[in-house]
Amino acid sequence: MFATADLCDQFSEELQIAEPIFKSFGEKRSFYGKIATVKVFEDNVLVVDQLEKIEEGSVLVVDGQASTKCALLGDRLATIAFDRKISGIIINGCVRDSAELEHIDVGILAIATNPLKSKKKGEGQVGISLHFGGVTWTPGEYIYCDGDGVVLAKRKLL
């Protein structure tokens, strides 16, 4: 078990601390792992693709460019993440099926909910550095999340 506050006390010089823009939707409230990234806009085809490909224990960071016009993840995709043992998903955008997400043992952070499903065009980018929430999310680096916040490190701290 870890606490982001303790990580900040011990490793503050090497951490980035994300702005507190996220709400927790998954059953798992504390999670960490290696970052995998995808950037999309109101289209979740690449989100599904990455959930089916990234390594077990990873955290998928989705830059939905802060759109609140539709959801990029719901219970079906969260179940894929659970089945594949993905540690968590962080979305700069919306989720749906929030009542069901509370019972899926995956860490899920997003900025809001919206019941509308996304487009299905397959447009976007994967495996790139993302910039939102006051930090840079770099593939292969590490992320630690709990009720106090989200911190990023260039190396595995636990």
Side-chain angles (χ1 to χ4, degrees):
M1 195 51 113
F2 71 93
T4 56
D6 293 340
L7 293 176
C8 285
D9 290 349
Q10 189 172 356
F11 302 103
S12 64
E13 296 301 314
E14 48 182 305
L15 296 178
Q16 295 183 78
I17 301 167
E19 295 168 353
I21 61 173
F22 303 106
K23 297 175 188 170
S24 182
F25 293 97
E27 182 178 319
K28 190 183 288 184
R29 301 297 178 169
S30 178
F31 60 96
Y32 73 95
K34 191 182 288 188
I35 297 172
T37 64
V38 61
K39 183 175 184 176
V40 296
F41 185 72
E42 299 175 5
D43 180 340
N44 75 348
V45 170
L46 293 179
V47 176
V48 178
D49 182 63
Q50 289 305 294
L51 287 172
E52 293 174 342
K53 289 181 178 175
I54 64 174
E55 69 182 71
E56 181 179 311
S58 295
V59 175
L60 182 62
V61 178
V62 180
D63 185 358
Q65 301 177 61
S67 173
T68 56
K69 293 182 180 177
C70 66
L72 295 174
L73 179 124
D75 60 345
R76 186 178 68 81
L77 273 61
T79 300
I80 291 170
F82 173 77
D83 290 344
R84 294 211 54 251
K85 297 180 176 67
I86 303 302
S87 182
I89 305 160
I90 298 176
I91 302 174
N92 184 25
C94 294
V95 297
R96 67 186 205 163
D97 305 317
S98 60
E100 290 85 356
L101 295 181
E102 290 177 6
H103 304 289
I104 299 174
D105 193 26
V106 173
I108 301 169
L109 301 179
I111 59 174
T113 59
N114 186 312
L116 182 66
K117 69 181 178 180
S118 74
K119 298 171 191 160
K120 309 292 183 207
K121 294 181 179 178
E123 298 173 348
Q125 298 171 284
V126 299
I128 62 167
S129 289
L130 305 172
H131 308 281
F132 63 88
V135 296
T136 300
W137 313 79
T138 303
E141 293 185 358
Y142 288 83
I143 187 163
Y144 301 87
C145 308
D146 67 9
D148 286 335
V150 176
V151 299
L152 292 79
K154 293 190 181 301
R155 64 184 179 94
K156 189 173 184 178
L157 301 176
L158 301 176

